[in-house]
Amino acid sequence: MSQGAQIGGSLDEIVGTLPVTMDLQQVMVSGPNLNETSIVSGGYGGAAEGIIPTSSIKGPAIHVNPEYFDRRCGNAPKPAPSMHHSNSNPSMMSEEATKGVAVEKFDSMKKWSINTYKCTKQMFSERFGRGSKTVDMELEAQIDVLRETKMKYERILRLARELTNHFYNMVQTQQALGDTFADLSQKSPELQDEFGYNAETQRLLCKNGETLLGAINFFVSSINTLVNKTMEDTLMTIKMYENARLEFDAYRADLEELSVGPRDAAAMVRIEIAQQQYQIHKDKYERLHSDVSIKLKFLEENKVKVMHKQLLLFHNAVSAYFAGNQQQLEQTLRQFNVKLKPPGSDKPSWLEEQ
């Protein structure tokens, strides 16, 4: 008998001697290593003569798979549930969402490019006299008047602010002069009355000047709101209207160009698409046209109301100040609900200075 046959028979004897009730997998895990055991060939009297160390066996190594014994004993483990779908579904959904966003951005960029090309073409056509332009003469005249009025009101606002700065400096100078006269009145007995009269006059002028400054500041604030908020809002709507007008004329020219071309199936599809785009931009243009007309009307009414009040306030306050009528000046501010800030209110608090 060959050495390989002896080894095979000895393995069968070892497996056959294992208890039936013992878990074979535990035996394979906790039992002795085959490389450390000796195989008994059997039938020989001497213990040392029949022992063959496994480390001395030449040939391929013997690998015993525990799953083999599990299958033989009917204890084959159930296959673990596959996690492929749970891991792949989120990644697939994320990939699809990314593709959807990319496609949406591409479509948006495509529409923007086409619209920009058409509007640029229409703009150059109008500038060089080759294309027609939709014009509402009455509305365009009102828009031109508004822009001119805004420029003039900006000039009023700038000059009123300069007047405020100059007058504020004059009031500060009067206050310093009055304090100096009062100090000299105490230190110059021979001129005490004269310095005292002038000190009192400068203090009165300073007080009336602060009252007038309150009226001028209220005037400047109201003009600033009218120019930089109300008028600016209307001009923003006008800008949107002008862009919509350009887009409307661009798609109208595109539709007219396609209408005079061939009438095959592909051309009819393009004409239908152009007709839809033309209608969309026509509706947008008409809506903004109506918005501009309404805002111009309300702006004119608001401008008249605001300027009537502010011009009357400015006139009465300046007249009362230079007439030296302190009572009339204070009455003017009460009439227009102008509240004066207490002295030093414009200075930062001690906490803000830290």
Side-chain angles (χ1 to χ4, degrees), residues 170-306:
M170 187 186 74
V171 170
Q172 294 299 313
T173 303
Q174 288 175 340
Q175 183 177 3
L177 187 60
D179 293 340
T180 304
F181 285 155
D183 182 61
L184 290 174
S185 175
Q186 300 295 329
K187 296 179 180 180
S188 302
E190 66 280 2
L191 297 174
Q192 182 177 5
D193 294 338
E194 289 79 0
F195 278 126
Y197 296 152
N198 282 278
E200 188 65 26
T201 302
Q202 294 301 320
R203 287 174 180 173
L204 181 60
L205 290 174
C206 181
K207 181 179 178 181
N208 292 342
E210 290 176 351
T211 305
L212 179 60
L213 273 176
I216 297 177
N217 285 330
F218 186 77
F219 175 81
V220 170
S221 176
S222 300
I223 299 299
N224 180 66
T225 301
L226 178 64
V227 172
N228 294 321
K229 291 185 178 180
T230 309
M231 290 185 178
E232 188 64 28
D233 177 72
T234 304
L235 288 174
M236 288 296 295
T237 306
I238 290 173
K239 186 176 181 180
M240 294 170 59
Y241 157 76
E242 291 175 342
N243 291 335
R245 197 277 311 162
L246 183 63
E247 292 177 353
F248 166 66
D249 284 337
Y251 282 91
R252 176 181 55 81
D254 186 47
L255 178 61
E256 292 175 355
E257 183 178 351
L258 290 174
S259 298
V260 298
R263 294 288 180 150
D264 54 0
M268 294 303 296
V269 173
R270 290 196 297 269
I271 291 174
E272 183 178 357
I273 296 175
Q275 180 68 37
Q276 294 175 357
Q277 293 296 321
Y278 165 78
Q279 189 62 41
I280 291 173
H281 289 86
K282 180 182 179 182
D283 294 341
K284 180 181 178 181
Y285 164 73
E286 292 177 349
R287 183 180 69 254
L288 287 172
H289 182 280
S290 176
D291 292 345
V292 170
S293 300
I294 294 173
K295 283 197 172 185
L296 285 173
K297 179 181 178 181
F298 287 159
L299 175 61
E300 183 64 24
E301 295 176 356
N302 187 41
K303 183 193 71 173
V304 172
K305 184 185 299 184
V306 169

Side-chain angles (χ1 to χ4, degrees), residues 66-129:
E67 295 182 359
Y68 170 77
F69 295 101
D70 291 336
R71 290 193 297 268
R72 292 293 297 270
C73 297
N75 296 327
K78 296 181 181 180
S82 176
M83 300 298 292
H84 176 70
H85 296 288
S86 61
N87 292 334
S88 61
N89 284 343
S91 61
M92 291 176 62
M93 293 175 61
S94 177
E95 184 177 356
E96 291 177 358
T98 304
K99 290 181 179 179
V101 172
V103 171
E104 184 178 354
K105 288 185 177 180
F106 176 78
D107 291 340
S108 177
M109 180 63 68
K110 181 180 178 181
K111 292 179 180 178
W112 177 84
S113 301
I114 294 174
N115 185 73
T116 303
Y117 167 74
K118 292 181 181 296
C119 292
T120 305
K121 179 181 177 182
Q122 176 65 23
M123 183 176 60
F124 279 104
S125 298
E126 294 176 0
R127 183 168 298 181
F128 292 105

Side-chain angles (χ1 to χ4, degrees), residues 22-31 66-67 69-70 75 77:
M22 184 180 295
D23 191 351
L24 296 181
Q25 188 172 359
Q26 295 179 359
V27 173
M28 296 303 299
V29 174
S30 61
E67 295 182 359
F69 295 101
D70 291 336
N75 296 327

